Amino acid sequence: MEPMVLLTTLDERYLPQLQVLLTSLSIHNPGEKVTLFLLHSGIPEDRLSAVRRQCECCGYDFSPIAVADDLFREAPVTRQYPKEMYYRLLAPQLLPDHIQRVLYLDPDILILNPIRPLWERDLEGNLFAAAAHTGKTELANSVNQLRLGTDRDYYNSGVLLLDLEAGRREIRPEVLFSYVKQHGKELILPDQDLLNALYSQRILPLEDVLWNYDARNYSNYLLRSGGQWDLRWVMEHTAILHFCGKEKPWKSKYVHRFGILYLHYLQIARRQWGIDL
């Protein structure tokens, strides 16, 4: 069985969250072979040692890559638009050429069930697979379509399955940089807006309730499903639980339903790996 190749991008402040994600991954995907790539802009090796040790204990290959500045000489880079925002879309150019596909995960995620079915999903000729969080309000979806000039749902960029071979042919850094130069003032969530504005026609839709469940929106999922997608259903079926938005479950004032579940995995990670979060 081929290893699942995972990717994340973060700065060193989010390394403990990555360790919580890896803890949940190893619990619910036992025996899986995993290669984890981390694209970063200069995290010191001593700060990566805890993640490296955890990956070794889980049997995962860990490959951090410090991204050089050369690729971004022509990129609009500001406090609002840091170079890191380009990393996930430029993964085809930044990861080794022999890697054919990769599953990108934001670090503010828990894995609750096997993710190999997503890893093996046929992209049907698309560049990406991603989920749209359309259940909260169709008005927000329509506003994003109008704002970005698309006719597709607004896809969340926190979980992305990428065809790297096709991306090396079709994703051009200069196109991304040019779009930001021309439309920078219109971008609200820059990396996500770029994904939707430039590649919405090349995205295979995923079921968000399975592969990118928005942890803020339990009531909406329950309503959409006529009561079927309750807590028991989520624990049995949802594979990727995503803590979207500014409110985060490791912060003391988090009030949403799945916060206690995150604290459970955080406590396991503390006991096993001694993380400080």
Side-chain angles (χ1 to χ4, degrees):
M1 186 179 294
E2 66 168 343
M4 295 188 295
V5 184
L6 307 183
L7 168 67
T8 194
T9 66
L10 46 80
D11 61 33
E12 62 181 277
R13 295 173 298 174
Y14 268 78
L15 288 172
Q17 286 85 352
L18 175 58
Q19 291 199 257
V20 176
L21 166 58
L22 292 173
T23 298
S24 67
L25 173 69
S26 64
I27 289 171
H28 296 293
N29 292 260
E32 279 286 3
K33 295 183 179 298
V34 172
T35 296
L36 173 64
F37 285 96
L38 167 60
L39 295 176
H40 64 93
S41 60
I43 302 175
E45 177 57 34
D46 64 312
R47 295 285 289 127
L48 295 171
S49 60
V51 176
R52 190 181 300 281
R53 183 171 64 252
Q54 182 177 2
C55 286
E56 289 174 355
C57 290
C58 293
Y60 301 164
D61 291 327
F62 179 48
S63 297
I65 298 176
V67 179
D69 289 336
D70 297 358
L71 184 62
F72 302 95
R73 288 175 181 165
E74 302 300 322
V77 174
T78 65
R79 183 179 181 85
Q80 185 180 2
Y81 307 126
K83 64 182 179 180
E84 290 85 355
M85 82 174 195
Y86 299 106
Y87 287 179
R88 75 190 74 183
L89 294 182
L90 293 180
Q93 286 73 31
L94 298 174
L95 295 180
D97 289 343
H98 69 276
I99 304 297
Q100 299 179 350
R101 65 162 48 194
V102 72
L103 176 59
Y104 172 85
L105 299 173
D106 272 350
D108 56 349
I109 274 173
L110 289 177
I111 305 298
L112 304 182
N113 281 291
I115 60 171
R116 181 164 285 275
L118 174 57
W119 166 251
E120 295 179 344
R121 179 72 67 96
D122 183 355
L123 283 169
E124 301 175 15
N126 290 284
L127 280 174
F128 303 93
H133 293 150
T134 59
K136 189 171 185 180
T137 166
E138 291 300 326
L139 176 60
N141 201 46
S142 299
V143 168
N144 284 320
Q145 290 173 345
L146 180 63
R147 182 170 61 85
L148 300 173
T150 72
D151 58 2
R152 302 287 300 277
D153 285 338
Y154 185 74
Y155 295 99
N156 182 271
S157 63
V159 178
L160 292 174
L161 184 63
L162 291 80
D163 182 338
L164 297 178
E165 288 188 303
R168 292 180 184 112
R169 297 190 301 268
E170 298 185 39
I171 299 176
R172 303 263 57 90
E174 60 272 17
V175 174
L176 272 66
F177 304 156
S178 175
Y179 186 88
V180 175
K181 287 177 181 177
Q182 295 178 33
H183 301 279
K185 293 182 180 180
E186 305 160 24
L187 303 182
I188 298 173
L189 299 172
D191 51 353
Q192 196 160 279
D193 284 351
L194 276 174
L195 171 72
N196 283 276
L198 295 177
Y199 305 110
S200 62
Q201 300 297 327
R202 304 285 279 116
I203 298 175
L204 176 73
L206 296 175
E207 307 90 337
D208 61 325
V209 70
L210 297 177
W211 305 117
N212 193 345
Y213 186 109
D214 187 338
R216 301 168 295 183
N217 291 340
Y218 173 79
S219 296
N220 290 293
Y221 285 113
L222 195 63
L223 182 62
R224 282 166 55 190
S225 66
Q228 178 185 358
W229 298 339
D230 59 10
L231 287 173
R232 183 182 295 273
W233 190 96
V234 171
M235 295 305 297
E236 291 178 354
H237 296 89
T238 296
I240 299 176
L241 182 67
H242 189 184
F243 293 88
C244 306
K246 294 182 179 180
E247 299 177 22
K248 299 301 182 185
W250 54 88
K251 296 182 179 180
S252 60
K253 295 183 179 180
Y254 190 80
V255 298
H256 298 291
R257 188 177 304 265
F258 291 100
I260 190 66
L261 184 62
Y262 191 91
L263 294 180
H264 168 70
Y265 288 97
L266 172 58
Q267 184 65 11
I268 294 173
R270 279 178 171 156
R271 289 174 177 172
Q272 290 186 334
W273 313 112
I275 68 169
D276 182 18
L277 179 58

PDB file of all heavy atoms in Angstrom, residues 216-243:
ATOM      1  N   ARG A 216     -17.902  24.871  13.750  1.00  0.00           N
ATOM      2  CA  ARG A 216     -18.785  25.911  14.270  1.00  0.00           C
ATOM      3  C   ARG A 216     -20.245  25.654  13.947  1.00  0.00           C
ATOM      4  O   ARG A 216     -21.139  26.261  14.554  1.00  0.00           O
ATOM      5  CB  ARG A 216     -18.398  27.276  13.664  1.00  0.00           C
ATOM      6  CG  ARG A 216     -16.987  27.727  13.930  1.00  0.00           C
ATOM      7  CD  ARG A 216     -16.631  28.916  13.052  1.00  0.00           C
ATOM      8  NE  ARG A 216     -16.622  28.583  11.644  1.00  0.00           N
ATOM      9  CZ  ARG A 216     -16.288  29.426  10.660  1.00  0.00           C
ATOM     10  NH1 ARG A 216     -15.944  30.658  10.970  1.00  0.00           N
ATOM     11  NH2 ARG A 216     -16.301  29.030   9.397  1.00  0.00           N
ATOM     12  N   ASN A 217     -20.508  24.762  12.989  1.00  0.00           N
ATOM     13  CA  ASN A 217     -21.827  24.740  12.351  1.00  0.00           C
ATOM     14  C   ASN A 217     -22.629  23.471  12.605  1.00  0.00           C
ATOM     15  O   ASN A 217     -23.383  23.021  11.738  1.00  0.00           O
ATOM     16  CB  ASN A 217     -21.655  24.931  10.833  1.00  0.00           C
ATOM     17  CG  ASN A 217     -21.174  26.333  10.496  1.00  0.00           C
ATOM     18  OD1 ASN A 217     -21.313  27.251  11.291  1.00  0.00           O
ATOM     19  ND2 ASN A 217     -20.593  26.474   9.317  1.00  0.00           N
ATOM     20  N   TYR A 218     -22.505  22.903  13.797  1.00  0.00           N
ATOM     21  CA  TYR A 218     -23.228  21.665  14.098  1.00  0.00           C
ATOM     22  C   TYR A 218     -24.734  21.796  13.851  1.00  0.00           C
ATOM     23  O   TYR A 218     -25.354  20.926  13.234  1.00  0.00           O
ATOM     24  CB  TYR A 218     -22.971  21.244  15.549  1.00  0.00           C
ATOM     25  CG  TYR A 218     -23.810  20.077  15.995  1.00  0.00           C
ATOM     26  CD1 TYR A 218     -23.460  18.779  15.629  1.00  0.00           C
ATOM     27  CD2 TYR A 218     -24.948  20.268  16.782  1.00  0.00           C
ATOM     28  CE1 TYR A 218     -24.238  17.693  16.032  1.00  0.00           C
ATOM     29  CE2 TYR A 218     -25.726  19.197  17.183  1.00  0.00           C
ATOM     30  CZ  TYR A 218     -25.370  17.915  16.809  1.00  0.00           C
ATOM     31  OH  TYR A 218     -26.136  16.849  17.197  1.00  0.00           O
ATOM     32  N   SER A 219     -25.319  22.875  14.321  1.00  0.00           N
ATOM     33  CA  SER A 219     -26.778  23.039  14.190  1.00  0.00           C
ATOM     34  C   SER A 219     -27.199  23.086  12.728  1.00  0.00           C
ATOM     35  O   SER A 219     -28.254  22.547  12.351  1.00  0.00           O
ATOM     36  CB  SER A 219     -27.238  24.303  14.916  1.00  0.00           C
ATOM     37  OG  SER A 219     -26.996  24.207  16.307  1.00  0.00           O
ATOM     38  N   ASN A 220     -26.405  23.720  11.898  1.00  0.00           N
ATOM     39  CA  ASN A 220     -26.729  23.795  10.473  1.00  0.00           C
ATOM     40  C   ASN A 220     -26.624  22.434   9.791  1.00  0.00           C
ATOM     41  O   ASN A 220     -27.465  22.081   8.960  1.00  0.00           O
ATOM     42  CB  ASN A 220     -25.800  24.799   9.787  1.00  0.00           C
ATOM     43  CG  ASN A 220     -26.093  26.217  10.199  1.00  0.00           C
ATOM     44  OD1 ASN A 220     -27.136  26.768   9.883  1.00  0.00           O
ATOM     45  ND2 ASN A 220     -25.169  26.827  10.918  1.00  0.00           N
ATOM     46  N   TYR A 221     -25.577  21.671  10.145  1.00  0.00           N
ATOM     47  CA  TYR A 221     -25.469  20.319   9.593  1.00  0.00           C
ATOM     48  C   TYR A 221     -26.657  19.465  10.022  1.00  0.00           C
ATOM     49  O   TYR A 221     -27.213  18.693   9.228  1.00  0.00           O
ATOM     50  CB  TYR A 221     -24.171  19.660  10.057  1.00  0.00           C
ATOM     51  CG  TYR A 221     -22.921  20.161   9.367  1.00  0.00           C
ATOM     52  CD1 TYR A 221     -21.953  20.871  10.064  1.00  0.00           C
ATOM     53  CD2 TYR A 221     -22.688  19.898   8.018  1.00  0.00           C
ATOM     54  CE1 TYR A 221     -20.799  21.330   9.444  1.00  0.00           C
ATOM     55  CE2 TYR A 221     -21.542  20.344   7.379  1.00  0.00           C
ATOM     56  CZ  TYR A 221     -20.596  21.062   8.098  1.00  0.00           C
ATOM     57  OH  TYR A 221     -19.452  21.502   7.478  1.00  0.00           O
ATOM     58  N   LEU A 222     -27.051  19.585  11.284  1.00  0.00           N
ATOM     59  CA  LEU A 222     -28.169  18.807  11.792  1.00  0.00           C
ATOM     60  C   LEU A 222     -29.454  19.165  11.052  1.00  0.00           C
ATOM     61  O   LEU A 222     -30.242  18.287  10.657  1.00  0.00           O
ATOM     62  CB  LEU A 222     -28.333  19.071  13.291  1.00  0.00           C
ATOM     63  CG  LEU A 222     -29.202  18.105  14.079  1.00  0.00           C
ATOM     64  CD1 LEU A 222     -28.605  16.700  14.067  1.00  0.00           C
ATOM     65  CD2 LEU A 222     -29.381  18.586  15.506  1.00  0.00           C
ATOM     66  N   LEU A 223     -29.652  20.458  10.798  1.00  0.00           N
ATOM     67  CA  LEU A 223     -30.845  20.917  10.082  1.00  0.00           C
ATOM     68  C   LEU A 223     -30.818  20.439   8.632  1.00  0.00           C
ATOM     69  O   LEU A 223     -31.835  19.962   8.110  1.00  0.00           O
ATOM     70  CB  LEU A 223     -30.921  22.440  10.145  1.00  0.00           C
ATOM     71  CG  LEU A 223     -32.138  23.102   9.486  1.00  0.00           C
ATOM     72  CD1 LEU A 223     -33.420  22.651  10.184  1.00  0.00           C
ATOM     73  CD2 LEU A 223     -32.000  24.622   9.539  1.00  0.00           C
ATOM     74  N   ARG A 224     -29.673  20.574   7.974  1.00  0.00           N
ATOM     75  CA  ARG A 224     -29.549  20.161   6.572  1.00  0.00           C
ATOM     76  C   ARG A 224     -29.878  18.685   6.386  1.00  0.00           C
ATOM     77  O   ARG A 224     -30.403  18.281   5.335  1.00  0.00           O
ATOM     78  CB  ARG A 224     -28.122  20.422   6.072  1.00  0.00           C
ATOM     79  CG  ARG A 224     -27.812  21.871   5.726  1.00  0.00           C
ATOM     80  CD  ARG A 224     -26.314  22.091   5.569  1.00  0.00           C
ATOM     81  NE  ARG A 224     -25.698  21.198   4.601  1.00  0.00           N
ATOM     82  CZ  ARG A 224     -24.381  21.073   4.434  1.00  0.00           C
ATOM     83  NH1 ARG A 224     -23.547  21.781   5.199  1.00  0.00           N
ATOM     84  NH2 ARG A 224     -23.895  20.267   3.528  1.00  0.00           N
ATOM     85  N   SER A 225     -29.541  17.867   7.388  1.00  0.00           N
ATOM     86  CA  SER A 225     -29.697  16.415   7.259  1.00  0.00           C
ATOM     87  C   SER A 225     -31.007  15.908   7.834  1.00  0.00           C
ATOM     88  O   SER A 225     -31.222  14.695   7.906  1.00  0.00           O
ATOM     89  CB  SER A 225     -28.539  15.714   7.964  1.00  0.00           C
ATOM     90  OG  SER A 225     -28.598  15.951   9.371  1.00  0.00           O
ATOM     91  N   GLY A 226     -31.879  16.810   8.259  1.00  0.00           N
ATOM     92  CA  GLY A 226     -33.126  16.385   8.880  1.00  0.00           C
ATOM     93  C   GLY A 226     -32.907  15.625  10.176  1.00  0.00           C
ATOM     94  O   GLY A 226     -33.679  14.713  10.511  1.00  0.00           O
ATOM     95  N   GLY A 227     -31.838  15.986  10.887  1.00  0.00           N
ATOM     96  CA  GLY A 227     -31.546  15.363  12.172  1.00  0.00           C
ATOM     97  C   GLY A 227     -30.629  14.156  12.101  1.00  0.00           C
ATOM     98  O   GLY A 227     -30.264  13.597  13.143  1.00  0.00           O
ATOM     99  N   GLN A 228     -30.221  13.746  10.892  1.00  0.00           N
ATOM    100  CA  GLN A 228     -29.405  12.535  10.757  1.00  0.00           C
ATOM    101  C   GLN A 228     -27.975  12.758  11.252  1.00  0.00           C
ATOM    102  O   GLN A 228     -27.396  11.895  11.926  1.00  0.00           O
ATOM    103  CB  GLN A 228     -29.367  12.084   9.298  1.00  0.00           C
ATOM    104  CG  GLN A 228     -28.482  10.859   9.074  1.00  0.00           C
ATOM    105  CD  GLN A 228     -28.358  10.486   7.613  1.00  0.00           C
ATOM    106  OE1 GLN A 228     -28.955  11.114   6.748  1.00  0.00           O
ATOM    107  NE2 GLN A 228     -27.565   9.470   7.322  1.00  0.00           N
ATOM    108  N   TRP A 229     -27.397  13.915  10.934  1.00  0.00           N
ATOM    109  CA  TRP A 229     -25.984  14.130  11.241  1.00  0.00           C
ATOM    110  C   TRP A 229     -25.826  14.655  12.670  1.00  0.00           C
ATOM    111  O   TRP A 229     -25.368  15.772  12.902  1.00  0.00           O
ATOM    112  CB  TRP A 229     -25.366  15.105  10.230  1.00  0.00           C
ATOM    113  CG  TRP A 229     -25.404  14.597   8.817  1.00  0.00           C
ATOM    114  CD1 TRP A 229     -25.524  13.301   8.401  1.00  0.00           C
ATOM    115  CD2 TRP A 229     -25.338  15.379   7.620  1.00  0.00           C
ATOM    116  NE1 TRP A 229     -25.533  13.216   7.024  1.00  0.00           N
ATOM    117  CE2 TRP A 229     -25.425  14.483   6.520  1.00  0.00           C
ATOM    118  CE3 TRP A 229     -25.221  16.746   7.367  1.00  0.00           C
ATOM    119  CZ2 TRP A 229     -25.385  14.921   5.194  1.00  0.00           C
ATOM    120  CZ3 TRP A 229     -25.187  17.182   6.046  1.00  0.00           C
ATOM    121  CH2 TRP A 229     -25.258  16.275   4.981  1.00  0.00           C
ATOM    122  N   ASP A 230     -26.184  13.824  13.628  1.00  0.00           N
ATOM    123  CA  ASP A 230     -26.050  14.203  15.029  1.00  0.00           C
ATOM    124  C   ASP A 230     -24.639  13.863  15.517  1.00  0.00           C
ATOM    125  O   ASP A 230     -23.775  13.440  14.729  1.00  0.00           O
ATOM    126  CB  ASP A 230     -27.121  13.530  15.879  1.00  0.00           C
ATOM    127  CG  ASP A 230     -27.072  12.004  15.794  1.00  0.00           C
ATOM    128  OD1 ASP A 230     -26.101  11.447  15.224  1.00  0.00           O
ATOM    129  OD2 ASP A 230     -28.014  11.361  16.288  1.00  0.00           O
ATOM    130  N   LEU A 231     -24.385  14.032  16.803  1.00  0.00           N
ATOM    131  CA  LEU A 231     -23.041  13.815  17.339  1.00  0.00           C
ATOM    132  C   LEU A 231     -22.558  12.380  17.113  1.00  0.00           C
ATOM    133  O   LEU A 231     -21.391  12.167  16.757  1.00  0.00           O
ATOM    134  CB  LEU A 231     -23.011  14.160  18.828  1.00  0.00           C
ATOM    135  CG  LEU A 231     -23.064  15.647  19.176  1.00  0.00           C
ATOM    136  CD1 LEU A 231     -23.189  15.829  20.680  1.00  0.00           C
ATOM    137  CD2 LEU A 231     -21.823  16.378  18.658  1.00  0.00           C
ATOM    138  N   ARG A 232     -23.433  11.419  17.323  1.00  0.00           N
ATOM    139  CA  ARG A 232     -23.034  10.027  17.114  1.00  0.00           C
ATOM    140  C   ARG A 232     -22.651   9.797  15.650  1.00  0.00           C
ATOM    141  O   ARG A 232     -21.653   9.127  15.357  1.00  0.00           O
ATOM    142  CB  ARG A 232     -24.180   9.090  17.517  1.00  0.00           C
ATOM    143  CG  ARG A 232     -23.823   7.606  17.406  1.00  0.00           C
ATOM    144  CD  ARG A 232     -25.027   6.737  17.775  1.00  0.00           C
ATOM    145  NE  ARG A 232     -25.384   6.925  19.166  1.00  0.00           N
ATOM    146  CZ  ARG A 232     -24.847   6.242  20.175  1.00  0.00           C
ATOM    147  NH1 ARG A 232     -23.929   5.329  19.934  1.00  0.00           N
ATOM    148  NH2 ARG A 232     -25.248   6.456  21.406  1.00  0.00           N
ATOM    149  N   TRP A 233     -23.431  10.367  14.717  1.00  0.00           N
ATOM    150  CA  TRP A 233     -23.126  10.201  13.289  1.00  0.00           C
ATOM    151  C   TRP A 233     -21.772  10.823  12.965  1.00  0.00           C
ATOM    152  O   TRP A 233     -20.967  10.232  12.230  1.00  0.00           O
ATOM    153  CB  TRP A 233     -24.228  10.853  12.454  1.00  0.00           C
ATOM    154  CG  TRP A 233     -24.151  10.540  10.986  1.00  0.00           C
ATOM    155  CD1 TRP A 233     -24.821   9.579  10.306  1.00  0.00           C
ATOM    156  CD2 TRP A 233     -23.319  11.202  10.020  1.00  0.00           C
ATOM    157  NE1 TRP A 233     -24.475   9.593   8.971  1.00  0.00           N
ATOM    158  CE2 TRP A 233     -23.549  10.581   8.764  1.00  0.00           C
ATOM    159  CE3 TRP A 233     -22.412  12.258  10.084  1.00  0.00           C
ATOM    160  CZ2 TRP A 233     -22.905  10.982   7.597  1.00  0.00           C
ATOM    161  CZ3 TRP A 233     -21.755  12.660   8.919  1.00  0.00           C
ATOM    162  CH2 TRP A 233     -22.004  12.032   7.696  1.00  0.00           C
ATOM    163  N   VAL A 234     -21.521  12.013  13.486  1.00  0.00           N
ATOM    164  CA  VAL A 234     -20.243  12.689  13.228  1.00  0.00           C
ATOM    165  C   VAL A 234     -19.084  11.829  13.696  1.00  0.00           C
ATOM    166  O   VAL A 234     -18.097  11.640  12.972  1.00  0.00           O
ATOM    167  CB  VAL A 234     -20.211  14.079  13.910  1.00  0.00           C
ATOM    168  CG1 VAL A 234     -18.800  14.675  13.836  1.00  0.00           C
ATOM    169  CG2 VAL A 234     -21.213  15.013  13.249  1.00  0.00           C
ATOM    170  N   MET A 235     -19.174  11.286  14.902  1.00  0.00           N
ATOM    171  CA  MET A 235     -18.073  10.481  15.428  1.00  0.00           C
ATOM    172  C   MET A 235     -17.866   9.200  14.624  1.00  0.00           C
ATOM    173  O   MET A 235     -16.748   8.695  14.531  1.00  0.00           O
ATOM    174  CB  MET A 235     -18.324  10.149  16.895  1.00  0.00           C
ATOM    175  CG  MET A 235     -18.336  11.365  17.813  1.00  0.00           C
ATOM    176  SD  MET A 235     -16.830  12.375  17.685  1.00  0.00           S
ATOM    177  CE  MET A 235     -15.593  11.213  18.250  1.00  0.00           C
ATOM    178  N   GLU A 236     -18.931   8.690  14.009  1.00  0.00           N
ATOM    179  CA  GLU A 236     -18.826   7.447  13.246  1.00  0.00           C
ATOM    180  C   GLU A 236     -18.423   7.673  11.797  1.00  0.00           C
ATOM    181  O   GLU A 236     -17.849   6.770  11.173  1.00  0.00           O
ATOM    182  CB  GLU A 236     -20.155   6.687  13.293  1.00  0.00           C
ATOM    183  CG  GLU A 236     -20.493   6.128  14.667  1.00  0.00           C
ATOM    184  CD  GLU A 236     -21.844   5.433  14.690  1.00  0.00           C
ATOM    185  OE1 GLU A 236     -22.561   5.486  13.658  1.00  0.00           O
ATOM    186  OE2 GLU A 236     -22.193   4.849  15.734  1.00  0.00           O
ATOM    187  N   HIS A 237     -18.708   8.858  11.235  1.00  0.00           N
ATOM    188  CA  HIS A 237     -18.545   9.044   9.798  1.00  0.00           C
ATOM    189  C   HIS A 237     -17.608  10.183   9.396  1.00  0.00           C
ATOM    190  O   HIS A 237     -16.910  10.074   8.382  1.00  0.00           O
ATOM    191  CB  HIS A 237     -19.909   9.293   9.134  1.00  0.00           C
ATOM    192  CG  HIS A 237     -20.849   8.134   9.238  1.00  0.00           C
ATOM    193  ND1 HIS A 237     -21.718   7.968  10.301  1.00  0.00           N
ATOM    194  CD2 HIS A 237     -21.059   7.075   8.417  1.00  0.00           C
ATOM    195  CE1 HIS A 237     -22.426   6.864  10.119  1.00  0.00           C
ATOM    196  NE2 HIS A 237     -22.046   6.307   8.991  1.00  0.00           N
ATOM    197  N   THR A 238     -17.632  11.291  10.104  1.00  0.00           N
ATOM    198  CA  THR A 238     -16.799  12.431   9.715  1.00  0.00           C
ATOM    199  C   THR A 238     -15.331  12.077   9.902  1.00  0.00           C
ATOM    200  O   THR A 238     -14.927  11.616  10.973  1.00  0.00           O
ATOM    201  CB  THR A 238     -17.156  13.675  10.560  1.00  0.00           C
ATOM    202  OG1 THR A 238     -18.505  14.053  10.268  1.00  0.00           O
ATOM    203  CG2 THR A 238     -16.217  14.826  10.242  1.00  0.00           C
ATOM    204  N   ALA A 239     -14.550  12.311   8.868  1.00  0.00           N
ATOM    205  CA  ALA A 239     -13.116  11.997   8.941  1.00  0.00           C
ATOM    206  C   ALA A 239     -12.292  13.204   9.351  1.00  0.00           C
ATOM    207  O   ALA A 239     -11.307  13.061  10.086  1.00  0.00           O
ATOM    208  CB  ALA A 239     -12.626  11.455   7.603  1.00  0.00           C
ATOM    209  N   ILE A 240     -12.670  14.397   8.882  1.00  0.00           N
ATOM    210  CA  ILE A 240     -11.860  15.595   9.127  1.00  0.00           C
ATOM    211  C   ILE A 240     -12.745  16.666   9.753  1.00  0.00           C
ATOM    212  O   ILE A 240     -13.684  17.150   9.129  1.00  0.00           O
ATOM    213  CB  ILE A 240     -11.215  16.108   7.828  1.00  0.00           C
ATOM    214  CG1 ILE A 240     -10.279  15.044   7.248  1.00  0.00           C
ATOM    215  CG2 ILE A 240     -10.461  17.410   8.075  1.00  0.00           C
ATOM    216  CD1 ILE A 240      -9.666  15.417   5.903  1.00  0.00           C
ATOM    217  N   LEU A 241     -12.428  17.015  10.990  1.00  0.00           N
ATOM    218  CA  LEU A 241     -13.144  18.047  11.736  1.00  0.00           C
ATOM    219  C   LEU A 241     -12.259  19.282  11.777  1.00  0.00           C
ATOM    220  O   LEU A 241     -11.139  19.244  12.293  1.00  0.00           O
ATOM    221  CB  LEU A 241     -13.432  17.556  13.161  1.00  0.00           C
ATOM    222  CG  LEU A 241     -14.212  18.488  14.087  1.00  0.00           C
ATOM    223  CD1 LEU A 241     -15.648  18.670  13.585  1.00  0.00           C
ATOM    224  CD2 LEU A 241     -14.205  17.931  15.508  1.00  0.00           C
ATOM    225  N   HIS A 242     -12.759  20.378  11.203  1.00  0.00           N
ATOM    226  CA  HIS A 242     -11.941  21.572  10.979  1.00  0.00           C
ATOM    227  C   HIS A 242     -12.446  22.712  11.856  1.00  0.00           C
ATOM    228  O   HIS A 242     -13.615  23.102  11.779  1.00  0.00           O
ATOM    229  CB  HIS A 242     -12.023  21.957   9.500  1.00  0.00           C
ATOM    230  CG  HIS A 242     -11.068  23.022   9.088  1.00  0.00           C
ATOM    231  ND1 HIS A 242     -11.056  23.559   7.822  1.00  0.00           N
ATOM    232  CD2 HIS A 242     -10.081  23.668   9.763  1.00  0.00           C
ATOM    233  CE1 HIS A 242     -10.111  24.480   7.744  1.00  0.00           C
ATOM    234  NE2 HIS A 242      -9.516  24.571   8.912  1.00  0.00           N
ATOM    235  N   PHE A 243     -11.556  23.252  12.671  1.00  0.00           N
ATOM    236  CA  PHE A 243     -11.908  24.365  13.551  1.00  0.00           C
ATOM    237  C   PHE A 243     -11.641  25.685  12.826  1.00  0.00           C
ATOM    238  O   PHE A 243     -10.650  26.377  13.078  1.00  0.00           O
ATOM    239  CB  PHE A 243     -11.145  24.249  14.873  1.00  0.00           C
ATOM    240  CG  PHE A 243     -11.568  23.063  15.687  1.00  0.00           C
ATOM    241  CD1 PHE A 243     -10.961  21.826  15.514  1.00  0.00           C
ATOM    242  CD2 PHE A 243     -12.614  23.166  16.584  1.00  0.00           C
ATOM    243  CE1 PHE A 243     -11.370  20.721  16.239  1.00  0.00           C
ATOM    244  CE2 PHE A 243     -13.048  22.069  17.316  1.00  0.00           C
ATOM    245  CZ  PHE A 243     -12.412  20.840  17.144  1.00  0.00           C
TER     246      PHE A 243
END
